[in-house]
Amino acid sequence: MAALALQALCAFFFISDIVVSVFGLRATPIAWQTREFLEIGAAVGLLLGFVLGAIALRRTRRRQQAAEAQLRVASGAFMELLDERFTEWGLTPAERDVALFAIKGMSTQEIAGLRATSEGTVKAQTNAIYRKAGVTGRPQLLSHFIDDLMGEGLPVTQVE
C-alpha cells in the first residue's frame, strides 16, 4: 500500500511539473539541483513501485497456481472416491450415470432428458442407488461423499 501511495505521489509530481510549465504558474523558480533531486526521487519512487508491483503480481500468480493445483487434486480425489463407492455398492453403469447426475444436483426430469429415458425409470434407478448406498435421499448421498473427503483429507501440493 505504501508503494502505491509513493507511486501516486511521484506521478503527481511529474504531472504537476508539466502543468506548471505549460501554464507558467511557477512564480519563483526552484534551484536546478533541487529540481534534479526531486525528479530523481520521483523516478526512483516510480521504479520502486514497479518492482514491488511485479513482486506482488508474481506472488499472486503463485498462489493462483497453488489453488488451481489443489482444485485439480480435489476434483481427481472426488472422482476417484465416486468410482470407489459406486463399485463398492455394485451400481450398474446406468445407475452410475444417474448417481453422478444426482450428485451434480440435476433434477429427475433433467436426468431423464439427458439419458433419453422416462422419469419413472430415473426414479427407480435413484431408489436402487439410495438402497445400495444405505441412504434415504440425495442430501444424504452427497453428504456421504463430503464426509468421506473430509475424513480422508486431500493431499496438499506445493507450487514453486
Side-chain angles (χ1 to χ4, degrees):
M1 190 62 159
L4 188 60
L6 181 62
Q7 268 190 314
L9 183 65
C10 294
F12 175 76
F13 168 77
F14 283 122
I15 292 170
S16 65
D17 188 49
I18 291 170
V19 169
V20 166
S21 295
V22 168
F23 293 112
L25 299 176
R26 185 173 289 130
T28 57
I30 57 175
W32 69 270
Q33 293 95 344
T34 305
R35 180 177 178 75
E36 292 296 320
F37 282 124
L38 286 173
E39 286 181 357
I40 289 170
V44 168
L46 288 173
L47 185 60
L48 179 64
F50 171 78
V51 169
L52 292 176
I55 290 169
L57 182 62
R58 185 173 176 208
R59 286 181 182 166
T60 300
R61 182 68 182 133
R62 281 185 180 170
R63 286 185 193 128
Q64 178 188 5
Q65 289 173 339
E68 287 172 354
Q70 287 177 329
L71 183 60
R72 283 191 300 276
V73 168
S75 178
F78 189 68
M79 290 309 293
E80 287 176 21
L81 180 64
L82 286 176
D83 190 48
E84 286 175 16
R85 293 302 172 262
F86 291 172
T87 300
E88 181 182 306
W89 299 333
L91 299 184
T92 66
E95 290 170 342
R96 286 173 177 257
D97 288 346
V98 171
L100 184 59
F101 290 141
I103 289 168
K104 287 183 176 184
M106 295 181 169
S107 69
T108 301
Q109 183 180 11
E110 290 171 324
I111 296 170
L114 285 170
R115 299 206 66 250
T117 60
S118 71
E119 288 183 41
T121 300
V122 173
K123 286 179 183 178
Q125 289 169 327
T126 54
N127 285 332
I129 293 163
Y130 301 153
R131 181 179 40 77
K132 290 177 179 181
V135 297
T136 59
R138 284 183 199 214
Q140 281 187 340
L141 183 66
L142 184 56
S143 177
H144 178 75
F145 289 106
I146 292 171
D147 289 345
D148 278 356
L149 277 176
M150 299 303 277
E152 294 173 7
L154 296 174
V156 177
T157 58
Q158 291 290 335
V159 176
E160 288 295 320

